[in-house]
């Protein structure tokens, strides 16, 4: 058994320590730690290709630049998506994609609503680093296009 004197000393010590900690008032924090861990092999900063309001038989072009920051070297696929939307609105549609350092070139064509030359994707090996991707769209609207408003992705990047 524990002696009475030892037990009293222990209880008094706990009481004093508890009181000392209880006298502290939190006045604020000097710093917060914030972060997120990203396991994606790359981050894509897309561009917006805004053709505005387009009319039957109208032709035009639009150029813009996107950026791919590659964190894991490897094979990437750049792919045209939503082909059917393009076919229902444009009689002629050309997307040309060029990548910094000439590492990827792709041209995608639709003529009279039919595919003429359409490699809908290109495969490229990218080392770690930042890449500018130059995108140019040339188009002619069909005489009787599908009447829609469209705001969705047109070019995607995949890691293989």
């Amino acid at each position: 058994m524990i002696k009475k004197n030892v037990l009293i000393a222990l209880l008094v010590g706990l009481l004093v320590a508890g009181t000392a900690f209880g006298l502290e008032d939190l006045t604020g924090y000097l710093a917060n730690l914030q972060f997120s861990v990203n396991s994606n092999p790359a981050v894509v900063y897309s561009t917006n290709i805004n053709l505005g309001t387009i009319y039957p038989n109208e032709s035009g072009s639009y150029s813009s630049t996107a950026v791919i920051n590659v964190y894991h070297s490897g094979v990437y696929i750049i792919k045209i998506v939503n082909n059917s939307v393009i076919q229902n609105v444009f009689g002629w549609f050309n997307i040309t994609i060029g990548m910094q350092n000439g590492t990827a070139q792709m041209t995608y064509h639709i003529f009279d609503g039919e595919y003429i030359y359409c490699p809908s994707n290109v495969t490229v090996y990218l080392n770690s680093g930042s890449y500018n991707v130059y995108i140019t769209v040339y188009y002619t609207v069909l005489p009787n296009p599908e009447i829609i408003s469209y705001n969705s992705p047109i070019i995607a990047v995949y890691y293989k």
Side-chain angles (χ1 to χ4, degrees):
M1 286 221 148
I2 298 179
K3 292 187 177 184
K4 192 176 188 182
N5 292 342
V6 173
L7 184 58
I8 291 174
L10 185 59
L11 288 174
V12 169
L14 287 173
L15 182 62
V16 169
T19 303
F21 287 119
L23 294 177
E24 296 175 357
D25 287 332
L26 177 64
T27 57
Y29 297 100
L30 291 177
N32 289 325
L33 177 62
Q34 181 178 353
F35 61 90
S36 63
V37 176
N38 185 343
S39 63
N40 288 337
V43 174
V44 176
Y45 297 96
S46 61
T47 186
N48 187 35
I49 299 171
N50 185 352
L51 301 181
T53 302
I54 55 178
Y55 298 94
N57 298 312
E58 178 182 350
S59 295
S61 66
Y62 190 95
S63 294
S64 193
T65 303
V67 175
I68 302 174
N69 287 337
V70 175
Y71 300 109
H72 298 291
S73 298
V75 176
Y76 290 81
I77 299 168
I78 300 172
K79 185 174 185 176
I80 304 296
V81 295
N82 299 320
N83 296 341
S84 63
V85 172
I86 296 170
Q87 285 181 293
N88 293 334
V89 174
F90 299 98
W92 182 69
F93 194 84
N94 174 304
I95 298 176
T96 302
I97 297 173
M99 189 173 286
Q100 175 181 345
N101 300 328
T103 54
Q105 295 292 325
M106 181 172 104
T107 300
Y108 173 87
H109 292 286
I110 287 183
F111 184 72
D112 285 339
E114 300 294 328
Y115 298 109
I116 294 275
Y117 175 69
C118 58
S120 61
N121 67 63
V122 63
T123 302
V124 61
Y125 185 89
L126 297 176
N127 289 311
S128 295
S130 183
Y131 296 85
N132 290 326
V133 182
Y134 307 103
I135 303 165
T136 303
V137 173
Y138 302 94
Y139 64 91
T140 299
V141 180
L142 286 167
N144 297 303
E146 178 180 342
I147 306 300
I148 62 169
S149 288
Y150 186 76
N151 184 13
S152 290
I154 192 74
I155 304 169
V157 178
Y158 299 91
Y159 180 70
K160 191 171 183 182

